Structure formats: C-alpha cells, structure tokens
Amino acid sequence: MNLKQLGWNEAFGEKDQNTVVARVISEQRQIYKLHDGENELTGEVSGKFQFQAKVKSDYPSVGDWVVIEPLKGENKAIIQKVLPRISQFSRQSAGEKTEEQIVAANIDYVFLVMALNNDFNIRRLERYLLVAYDSGANPIIVLTKKDLCTDLPTKIAAVEEIAFGVPIYSVNSTNGEGIEELKQLISSGKTVSLLGSSGVGKSTLLNALIGEVIQITQDVREGDDRGKHTTTHRELFFLPSGGMVIDTPGMRELQLWGGEEHISSTFSDVEEIAKSCKFSDCTHANEPGCAVNRAIENGELDQQRLTSYRKLMRELAYAERKQDASLARQERDKWKKISKMMNTKSYK
C-alpha cells in the first residue's frame, strides 16, 4: 500500500519529503490507529497539540490526514498536526455542550443508508441529505433489507421525490443482490462513509462489500422491525478493490451543525415554487398570494414536505445562534488564558 491508495491526492498539496504523514483509520478515546502507507501505528497527539486545540473538532477524526513523528524502535507515533480537510461530515455533538463533532473526514462519497422495512422514514432521509450536501462529499442513497420490502417501487418513488438527482441503490446485503454495483463506485483510493440511524444494516452492508465478516451483526428487534445497534466506534476498512469504507455507529439523533448554504439543494422544489410568491419574504403561512400554499392545495407539493422544510430551517437558525454564543465564550476564554500566561511571566 502507498499514500495514493490510502486516498492521498493533489487536493492535499505537495508533500514535503521531510514530512511524514499518515491517515487516521480508527479512534477510541483519543488513541488513534494510523496508517502511513507502509505500517499501522498507534498514535497520540502531542502536548503542544493539546495546548493549541480549542475545540473538539480540532482533534483528529477518522479519515483525517495528520503529520506525525514516528518513535524509533516502536510501532507508535506522535501526532503533530491535522492537515486541512477537503470534506467532512459534521453534526452537533450529543449532550448540552455546543460543539461540532466530525463524524468522518476526507470522504468522496456518503452512503446514506436506510432500511426498506418498517423503519423507512423519508423525513429522516431529508435531514441526512442536508448534512451530506454540507459535507462536500457526493451523497448516494443505499436502501437496505430489500428482501423485507413488499412495495419497493412505491418507496423508491418516495425517495426520488425528495432526493433530486441523487443516485439510489436498493440492496439485499445477506445474499449480495445489488452489492456489485456499489463496489464499482469504490475504486482504489476512494473513500466512502456509511451513515444512517441505528439498525439500518450498515454492518451487514460493510461485510458484503468486503466479502467477509468484519463487523458483528444482530437480528432485528421484535415490535419495531429495527436492527440492534452493533458498531461502537468509527473505523476505516480496506476493500479488496483498494477502496475504503468508514463505518460509523448508528445515530439515534442527528442534530444539525451546519447546512444553511445547502437547504436549497435539499429542498429545491419548495424554494423554486417560493420564487412565485407575491412577497419575497413570504413565510408560507397565511400570506396572500403564497405560491407554496397554492401548490399544496393543488396537490403539487406535499404538506409534510413543507413542514419538514420549516422544521429544518428553524433548527438551523437555532444552531447558528448557539454557535455564535459558543464562539463568543471561546474567544473570552482564549484571552483569559493569554492574560493569565502574561501575568505569570511578568511575575517571574
């Protein structure tokens, strides 16, 4: 294996001959598994890195390229720097703290995985599409558990109505139906991230792509037809084709971090109709001459589609307000830290 096969390309710039770089292939509690094109190494960030890191997203994530200092005589390395990301799938970190969590970095494709059983949910897929567009990677929809679906054409049509121009694949990971078509997308040096809610069959899909059992899978639960959560951490896997797949734990919730610039890509139908509204600042509530409400009355637009659009717009606005407040706190904390250091030096 070499750096090109690991996904290194001209987008990352020209590598200095004296600089050693590696790709992060897994992370657990800030202990990183790295690959430098020749060997796998265990890595930790340097003390200087920890001091300079301001937020969680400054730390390496799976898929990142990092500058390292290998330790002689050991299969270990110190991570000195994270190289700029060309794409990243982010979400609001779980919990009360306002913080960005990088789910996967430097990915070419995002496989948005959704099951075709009773867990099929168009509104959830709209949310994933919005974040996928914001990542900078190309979204591809993968509908799993095809063997459990009795109305496949209806469900594919429902996806097509909200995912304009996005490729859609339906697969049965247990018998391999549709898997070869996906494999052709993941050529040597390309990286795919599997994203979806808990139990949609990502681990089974990964096993099918690799051709052997890498991830443990479990049967669906009785009652709600959802699979059990099995993946516990993010990890990059190598395919026989030379491509790479980042598997991620299923998300019970996907809180938005960004996406304002890409709401028009996700809801291009709503925004196109809105151009014909009488008022440019129409909220599509009770204003006269609202083209969106007229489209709903005429059956050209689904009311649930508009409801989802409004909901995501409100979430984006709320997330932006929280982030602005969080940035202000970080700036205050930074200057307090600098002031404290200067006072300590003056005292000495």
Side-chain angles (χ1 to χ4, degrees):
M1 187 174 291
N2 54 46
L3 293 181
K4 186 176 180 180
Q5 290 171 313
L6 277 171
W8 183 273
N9 57 56
E10 62 277 359
F12 297 103
E14 192 70 28
K15 190 181 80 66
D16 189 295
Q17 291 185 347
N18 298 320
T19 301
V20 181
V21 299
R23 196 166 192 195
V24 179
I25 58 178
S26 76
E27 182 268 328
Q28 291 190 69
R29 298 180 180 179
Q30 295 188 3
I31 301 297
Y32 303 90
K33 186 189 292 183
L34 313 169
H35 204 302
D36 65 0
E38 296 181 1
N39 302 298
E40 283 191 8
L41 307 166
T42 300
E44 294 184 64
V45 298
S46 67
K48 181 180 179 181
F49 188 110
Q50 292 184 56
F51 178 78
Q52 293 178 336
K54 299 176 182 177
V55 291
K56 188 175 183 179
S57 57
D58 288 339
Y59 281 83
S61 297
V62 176
D64 267 329
W65 285 96
V66 293
V67 175
I68 63 170
E69 179 186 343
L71 301 180
K72 293 182 180 180
E74 301 182 60
N75 205 32
K76 297 180 180 180
I78 301 299
I79 298 172
Q80 305 289 356
K81 179 182 178 182
V82 176
L83 295 178
R85 299 164 177 134
I86 60 171
S87 63
Q88 62 187 55
F89 190 99
S90 301
R91 69 167 180 172
Q92 159 65 39
S93 183
E96 296 183 1
K97 191 174 182 180
T98 302
E99 197 169 36
E100 180 183 16
Q101 179 186 34
I102 310 294
V103 178
N106 300 316
I107 48 180
D108 298 287
Y109 300 105
V110 180
F111 281 9
L112 302 177
V113 186
M114 187 167 72
L116 284 162
N117 56 9
N118 293 338
D119 193 40
F120 184 82
N121 189 317
I122 286 293
R123 305 283 80 87
R124 186 194 305 138
L125 183 58
E126 287 172 335
R127 180 180 294 268
Y128 274 90
L129 270 170
L130 176 59
V131 184
Y133 281 126
D134 195 53
S135 73
N138 295 312
I140 292 174
I141 295 171
V142 181
L143 304 175
T144 60
K145 305 186 181 183
K146 187 177 180 179
D147 53 316
L148 302 178
C149 181
T150 58
D151 56 346
L152 181 62
T154 301
K155 287 182 175 176
I156 288 181
V159 173
E160 289 175 338
E161 286 182 3
I162 61 100
F164 312 104
V166 178
I168 303 168
Y169 295 83
S170 58
V171 303
N172 179 354
S173 301
T174 55
N175 68 6
E177 183 180 357
I179 297 299
E180 285 303 317
E181 288 85 349
L182 291 181
K183 286 182 178 179
Q184 292 175 14
L185 298 172
I186 319 173
S187 57
S188 180
K190 295 295 183 182
T191 306
V192 165
S193 179
L194 304 181
L195 295 161
S197 57
S198 299
V200 296
K202 296 191 305 300
S203 295
T204 307
L205 175 61
L206 176 63
N207 292 339
L209 290 170
I210 293 178
E212 60 179 297
V213 177
I214 297 294
Q215 294 286 65
I216 298 172
T217 61
Q218 297 184 36
D219 295 332
V220 297
R221 298 192 301 242
E222 293 183 8
D224 62 4
D225 213 13
R226 298 186 68 178
K228 298 176 183 177
H229 179 79
T230 52
T231 304
T232 58
H233 64 281
R234 294 179 291 280
E235 186 169 356
L236 184 149
F237 295 90
F238 299 99
L239 302 186
S241 64
M244 291 153 285
V245 176
I246 297 176
D247 193 17
T248 62
M251 298 180 186
R252 292 179 176 83
E253 61 175 344
L254 178 59
Q255 295 187 51
L256 302 179
W257 178 260
E260 299 91 341
E261 298 177 3
H262 301 279
I263 194 78
S264 59
S265 298
T266 311
F267 290 91
S268 58
D269 54 340
V270 177
E271 299 214 337
E272 184 62 32
I273 294 171
K275 291 178 181 178
S276 300
C277 288
K278 183 177 181 179
F279 302 105
S280 60
D281 59 348
C282 183
T283 63
H284 320 308
N286 300 312
E287 294 95 334
C290 176
V292 173
N293 281 321
R294 187 165 57 247
I296 291 173
E297 293 171 3
N298 297 337
E300 299 172 19
L301 183 68
D302 191 334
Q303 175 65 56
Q304 290 185 336
R305 177 79 166 154
L306 177 59
T307 301
S308 180
Y309 172 75
R310 286 172 170 165
K311 179 182 179 181
L312 292 176
M313 288 287 282
R314 287 195 300 270
E315 285 190 37
L316 287 170
Y318 177 64
E320 186 175 9
R321 290 195 298 271
K322 286 180 64 179
Q323 289 165 31
D324 286 345
S326 179
L327 285 173
R329 286 195 300 271
Q330 291 170 25
E331 190 69 13
R332 288 196 299 270
D333 292 344
K334 181 185 79 172
W335 286 107
K336 284 181 181 178
K337 194 175 186 179
I338 292 173
S339 178
K340 185 177 180 180
M341 289 174 60
M342 292 178 68
N343 289 336
T344 302
K345 288 180 179 179
S346 298
Y347 178 78
K348 291 181 177 179

